[in-house]
């Protein structure tokens, strides 16, 4: 399929859960999405605000980018839980969407990420999920502390996921920046809504238990049975595909431990 071909709606939905993030946090994220090289007719943005309060600033920001030509929708849920918020974002996406990209409100994507994502999925029907190399943005730290946090997060966010996915063929999808096929996501039941930590890692494990029993068009036919071909998950390296907000030294270490404990 040519990237400029006419389709019946967007093919990619970018899901952004927000929890008390304000307009100034989300604006750089939406700016990076607005600047994507992929035609705007081929992707949409779903913002899910799961904060306990309604944010008028998010409404104004959403309307601003919609008027500029970005397909963007704001959904509000009065329940806590990032798993619930992400699942709601998927349900709110257009029916034409085939691929889901999950990012944070403080992330910024490289200009070609969505176009590269579409090309990768279209070229390989056995590929069900992608994890991207990311650059942590570290604020309020300098000198040795900055270097230490930068090293730890490079190992945590990039080196270990790359080894687990590409070398050891593990289905490890920590949620800083990853994507998956919508059909695969729905086959495994989406994110767990019972916990606020590790729902992304659990999704990767569920995808790993699926099998591909055929290909229909450019989409795999998945089954939860043991028979069939194992689906592929790829770590896309070679460059930084996005920037993600750093949580600092101790929150970064705790997040790392939570991800790996959940996985193993």
């Amino acid at each position: 399929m040519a990237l400029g071909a006419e389709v019946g709606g967007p093919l990619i939905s970018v899901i952004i859960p927000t929890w008390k993030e304000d307009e100034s946090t989300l604006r750089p994220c939406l700016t990076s999405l607005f600047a994507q090289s992929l035609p705007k007719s081929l992707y949409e943005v779903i913002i899910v605000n799961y904060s306990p309060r309604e944010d008028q600033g998010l409404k104004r920001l959403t309307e601003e980018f919609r008027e500029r030509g970005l397909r963007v929708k704001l959904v509000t849920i009065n329940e806590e839980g990032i798993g619930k918020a992400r699942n709601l974002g998927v349900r709110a996406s257009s029916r034409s969407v085939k691929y889901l990209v999950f990012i944070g409100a403080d992330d910024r994507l490289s200009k070609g990420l969505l176009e590269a994502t579409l090309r990768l999925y279209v070229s390989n029907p056995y590929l069900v999920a992608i994890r991207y190399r990311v650059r942590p943005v570290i604020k309020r730290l300098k000198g040795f502390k900055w270097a230490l946090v930068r090293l730890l997060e490079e190992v945590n966010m990039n080196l270990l996921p790359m080894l687990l996915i590409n070398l050891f063929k593990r289905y490890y999808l920590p949620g800083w920046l990853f994507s998956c096929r919508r059909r695969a996501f729905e086959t495994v039941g989406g994110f767990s809504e019972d916990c606020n930590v590790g729902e992304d890692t659990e999704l990767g494990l569920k995808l790993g238990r699926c099998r591909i029993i055929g290909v229909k068009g450019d989409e795999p036919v998945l089954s939860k049975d043991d028979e069939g071909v194992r689906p592929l998950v790829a770590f896309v390296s070679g460059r930084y595909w996005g920037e993600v907000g750093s949580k600092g030294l101790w929150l970064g270490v705790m997040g790392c431990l939570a991800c790996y404990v959940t996985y193993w």
Side-chain angles (χ1 to χ4, degrees):
M1 181 194 71
L3 296 187
E6 291 295 325
V7 294
L11 295 176
I12 294 177
S13 189
V14 183
I15 312 296
I16 310 175
T18 66
W19 168 257
K20 296 183 179 179
E21 284 93 356
D22 57 20
E23 180 181 350
S24 63
T25 299
L26 188 59
R27 179 176 292 277
C29 177
L30 292 182
T31 300
S32 73
L33 286 165
F34 181 79
Q36 289 294 301
S37 60
L38 189 69
K40 290 181 175 55
S41 60
L42 296 181
Y43 69 97
E44 66 180 9
V45 180
I46 309 293
I47 304 168
V48 184
N49 178 25
Y50 66 106
S51 303
R53 58 183 175 83
E54 195 172 16
D55 194 320
Q56 296 299 320
L58 291 181
K59 283 187 174 181
R60 290 193 298 270
L61 187 64
T62 302
E63 185 60 32
E64 174 191 330
F65 275 88
R66 187 183 298 119
E67 291 176 354
R68 292 170 61 183
L70 184 67
R71 289 177 180 250
V72 57
K73 180 191 302 184
L74 176 63
V75 181
T76 300
I77 179 175
N78 294 320
E79 295 182 57
E80 295 185 12
I82 190 170
K84 290 181 180 179
R86 283 173 161 166
N87 286 339
L88 179 60
V90 175
R91 292 195 295 270
S93 62
S94 300
R95 296 183 63 181
S96 60
V97 165
K98 292 184 177 182
Y99 315 108
L100 307 169
V101 178
F102 297 98
I103 67 174
D106 57 351
D107 298 351
R108 296 186 292 272
L109 306 187
S110 65
K111 186 175 181 180
L113 184 140
L114 295 184
E115 182 177 346
T117 297
L118 186 55
R119 291 186 185 278
L120 286 168
Y121 281 122
V122 170
S123 65
N124 189 347
Y126 290 91
L127 180 65
V128 298
I130 301 172
R131 172 67 165 79
Y132 307 84
R133 188 184 183 202
V134 297
R135 187 203 328 259
V137 176
I138 303 168
K139 300 179 181 179
R140 298 183 296 276
L141 290 179
K142 296 181 180 180
F144 175 75
K145 287 186 177 180
W146 179 92
L148 179 59
V149 172
R150 183 70 178 82
L151 175 62
L152 287 173
E153 294 201 335
E154 182 68 25
V155 172
N156 180 31
M157 293 182 177
N158 294 315
L159 180 59
L160 289 179
M162 180 180 66
L163 292 175
L164 285 170
I165 293 171
N166 288 354
L167 183 60
F168 296 103
K169 308 303 179 185
R170 301 290 184 178
Y171 296 83
Y172 181 60
L173 295 174
W176 299 293
L177 176 57
F178 75 96
S179 65
C180 68
R181 290 182 184 270
R182 183 176 191 167
R183 179 172 293 180
F185 180 89
E186 293 175 344
T187 297
V188 301
F191 292 103
S192 170
E193 299 185 357
D194 298 328
C195 57
N196 285 326
V197 177
E199 80 292 335
D200 39 22
T201 306
E202 185 188 32
L203 177 69
L205 293 173
K206 292 193 293 186
L207 290 173
R209 289 193 286 267
C210 285
R211 294 295 181 267
I212 297 176
I213 57 175
V215 176
K216 187 176 181 180
D218 61 353
E219 286 285 298
V221 179
L222 292 120
S223 171
K224 292 184 179 181
D225 297 331
D226 293 333
E227 297 182 0
V229 179
R230 295 188 70 191
L232 298 178
V233 175
F235 182 95
V236 182
S237 57
R239 58 175 290 186
Y240 290 111
W241 290 96
E243 294 182 340
V244 299
S246 169
K247 304 303 181 185
L249 177 57
W250 294 113
L251 285 178
V253 170
M254 294 301 292
C256 171
L257 291 175
C259 285
Y260 290 106
V261 167
T262 302
Y263 179 82
W264 293 110

